[in-house]
Amino acid sequence: MNATNGDRRIALVTGATDGMGRAIARDLAARGWVVIAHGRNQERLDSLVRDVSNSATLVPYLADFASLTEVHAFANEVAADFPRIDVLLNNAGVGSGADRTMREESRDGYELRLAVNYLAPFALTNHLLPTLRDSASARIVNVASVGQQPFDFDDPMLTRGYEGTVAYSRSKLALIAFTFELAERMRRGGIDNITANALHPASLMPTTMVMEGWGHSLSTLEEGVEATLRLIEASDVEGTSGRYYDGLREARAKPQAYDAAARRTLWDLSESLVRDRR
């Protein structure tokens, strides 16, 4: 496939087959965006395509983010198929797990939540930066969480005292730290046409991940969609980069995300982990 798409805006939505990702993919497609829809389940991807009235606006891709080989292959396909990307929404993720005491690993042998929630978007975003640079004004939006815990560089794979909520919270803190570091590196490199921001969309929306892990919800899906769409397209955040939002308002992440030395250490570690699985 070779998609030129003229002047239509192009968004890549990861985790587009369920929950908030599905709602955002449908919304953008209905309003004329070209949506690159990522999922890890072919049946759910097919269902999403059927669900979008104008399927020409939605282009499905299958990839398992528990495999960095598949992440890189997916990024290569997208870069070959699209001349530019205007929005990258890193939304795909896994929660704390129904059994929070059971440690799981990715296909690369990495702790699963770190792999899917952090290393996959780290690899995908860096791989697609040249394609984002070809947009007149591109936005990277990373779906994080208010649940954050400091990353432990002495035990990055959480092999000691494993607990699913800790693993999830560390992966989300890492994603926010990456967002801040990426924004700073782009600023220093003179890349002024791409912004990068992170957000906690809403607390415990009624998604499959939340219901399996917690069994109840606190917020509506619509609240999370509204907050995320604001960072995707609202004019009042145009040019704003390196920020963290809680819903619709700017907020403060946990302190480690602002520690420049910790961010650099995390970046170097992430590069080595991703490079080892190309």
Side-chain angles (χ1 to χ4, degrees):
M1 174 183 177
N2 187 0
T4 56
N5 297 299
D7 295 328
R8 297 171 70 190
R9 289 177 292 177
I10 302 169
L12 193 169
V13 179
T14 70
T17 61
D18 197 10
M20 190 179 76
R22 186 183 185 100
I24 289 172
R26 290 180 60 191
D27 182 280
L28 293 176
R31 292 189 286 117
W33 286 67
V34 175
V35 178
I36 306 164
H38 155 264
R40 65 181 180 90
N41 180 290
Q42 188 62 58
E43 290 183 3
R44 289 184 179 180
L45 273 173
D46 294 341
S47 169
L48 176 62
V49 171
R50 290 193 300 269
D51 213 17
V52 174
S53 57
N54 180 6
S55 60
T57 66
L58 190 139
V59 188
Y61 287 81
L62 184 70
D64 183 354
F65 277 13
S67 164
L68 286 168
T69 298
E70 291 199 25
V71 173
H72 289 301
F74 168 55
N76 281 330
E77 282 188 76
V78 170
D81 289 346
F82 290 86
R84 74 174 199 283
I85 295 172
D86 302 302
V87 169
L88 169 58
L89 175 62
N90 284 310
N91 166 73
V94 291
S96 301
D99 181 356
R100 292 179 174 82
T101 65
M102 185 175 71
R103 185 179 178 277
E104 301 172 274
E105 292 188 346
S106 71
R107 285 159 57 185
D108 301 303
Y110 298 150
E111 193 280 315
L112 183 64
R113 277 136 196 93
L114 179 71
V116 175
N117 296 347
Y118 172 63
L119 290 176
F122 176 89
L124 181 67
T125 302
N126 278 294
H127 204 126
L128 290 177
L129 275 179
T131 311
L132 288 156
R133 288 196 70 177
D134 285 336
S135 169
S137 180
R139 300 185 187 188
I140 299 166
V141 180
N142 292 329
V143 177
S145 173
V146 72
Q148 305 158 29
Q149 292 199 30
F151 192 81
D152 183 356
F153 293 103
D154 292 327
D155 187 20
M157 298 302 161
L158 198 53
T159 59
R160 300 187 296 269
Y162 181 83
E163 208 279 328
T165 302
V166 173
Y168 175 83
S169 300
R170 287 184 181 180
S171 72
K172 291 302 185 179
L173 189 283
L175 186 62
I176 297 168
F178 162 59
T179 305
F180 293 171
E181 183 67 14
L182 176 63
E184 175 62 20
R185 289 181 183 225
M186 290 192 296
R187 186 193 65 78
R188 292 200 307 265
I191 301 174
D192 57 6
N193 67 315
I194 307 175
T195 61
N197 294 292
L199 86 157
H200 167 70
S203 295
L204 298 183
M205 295 174 288
T207 62
T208 301
M209 183 176 76
V210 166
M211 299 311 290
E212 287 179 349
W214 283 271
H216 67 279
S217 62
L218 296 175
S219 304
T220 66
L221 193 64
E222 290 74 19
E223 288 176 87
V225 169
E226 179 187 8
T228 307
L229 284 175
R230 175 172 175 264
L231 292 187
I232 287 175
E233 60 181 359
S235 59
D236 66 318
V237 291
E238 179 73 31
T240 300
S241 192
R243 310 288 177 84
Y244 166 71
Y245 294 83
D246 184 348
L248 296 170
R249 57 184 183 79
E250 188 174 342
R252 291 286 294 180
K254 295 296 184 183
Q256 191 187 51
Y258 301 95
D259 183 331
R263 293 203 311 259
R264 289 193 298 270
T265 301
L266 178 64
W267 188 289
D268 291 343
L269 172 64
S270 306
E271 278 193 330
S272 67
L273 293 173
V274 167
R275 184 171 55 246
D276 288 347
R277 293 298 185 270
R278 277 187 177 273

